[in-house]
Amino acid sequence: MFQRTRTSGSVSLTMKRYDGRTKPEPRASKGGSQPSAATTGADCHCLIRAKDGNKKISTVVHAKDVNKFHMAYANVLKGNMDSLKKHSNKKGPGDKEAVKKPKATQ
């Protein structure tokens, strides 16, 4: 995915908490409700989605493996950062900083 976007394009990555459910739970009645096991954090996972134009991939990472995933993802980013363009800070003659007038004091 990163190789295809090396010359142009971008990859967006999203992460969110995932409790393993694929269907939404119905709302509880107006009375007091018990918190579900998903909201208490009994067995948390992390859903990670990557998107490049119309190509999408996703994976689920267990909570204890998130740091390991971040380290692997950081290595992938470091390996693909060499195609970035340098930002030039050239100031032209019509630059606002050069023509700035001092403020009047009272």
Side-chain angles (χ1 to χ4, degrees):
M1 186 174 277
F2 285 101
Q3 294 297 324
R4 280 189 295 162
T5 59
R6 198 169 194 101
T7 56
S8 66
S10 63
V11 176
S12 63
L13 185 93
T14 59
M15 298 176 60
K16 66 186 284 188
R17 187 176 177 165
Y18 180 67
D19 56 3
R21 290 184 289 140
T22 56
K23 294 182 180 178
E25 287 183 358
R27 291 186 180 186
S29 61
K30 288 193 176 187
S33 64
Q34 299 286 335
S36 65
T39 58
T40 58
D43 189 28
C44 295
H45 291 67
C46 186
L47 176 64
I48 299 169
R49 295 177 179 144
K51 182 179 177 184
D52 162 34
N54 58 357
K55 175 77 173 168
K56 299 177 187 177
I57 59 173
S58 64
T59 187
V60 177
V61 179
H62 198 273
K64 66 180 180 180
D65 297 329
V66 169
N67 288 335
K68 187 176 176 182
F69 177 82
H70 275 290
M71 296 299 289
Y73 180 61
N75 289 335
V76 169
L77 285 180
K78 287 176 190 174
N80 290 291
M81 289 272 190
D82 59 352
S83 64
L84 294 176
K85 296 177 184 174
K86 288 222 176 220
H87 180 69
S88 61
N89 289 333
K90 294 180 182 177
K91 297 193 180 211
D95 193 15
K96 291 182 180 180
E97 298 273 333
V99 189
K100 198 177 218 182
K101 294 181 182 178
K103 293 183 178 180
T105 58
Q106 292 179 348

